């Protein structure tokens, strides 16, 4: 039989990796905004809700 291309373990690993990347990106944006950086798109307003 042929192995499926997308098994559950691969999908879970990919989703976990994606969530870690998004979390680290938001942490970097939050740090930038805390130092006085400003974005025209209102990203600093969004990162103000992040508790870390």
């Amino acid at each position: 039989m042929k192995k499926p291309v997308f098994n559950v373990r691969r999908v879970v690993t990919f989703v976990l990796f994606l969530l870690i990347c998004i979390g680290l990106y938001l942490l970097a944006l939050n740090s930038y905004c805390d130092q006085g950086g400003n974005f025209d798109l209102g990203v600093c307003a969004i990162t103000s809700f992040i508790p870390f």
Side-chain angles (χ1 to χ4, degrees):
M1 288 202 316
K2 194 174 182 183
K3 285 185 174 181
V5 177
F6 297 110
N7 57 11
V8 174
R9 189 174 190 182
R10 185 175 287 175
V11 171
V12 169
T13 304
F14 178 74
V15 169
L16 185 63
F17 179 73
L18 193 64
L19 287 175
I20 289 171
C21 288
I22 291 172
L24 289 174
Y25 181 71
L26 287 175
L27 183 65
L29 280 180
N30 191 29
S31 176
Y32 177 74
C33 291
D34 287 344
Q35 292 176 3
N38 194 6
F39 284 102
D40 292 335
L41 300 175
V43 175
C44 289
I46 294 170
T47 60
S48 66
F49 296 112
I50 298 173
F52 48 85

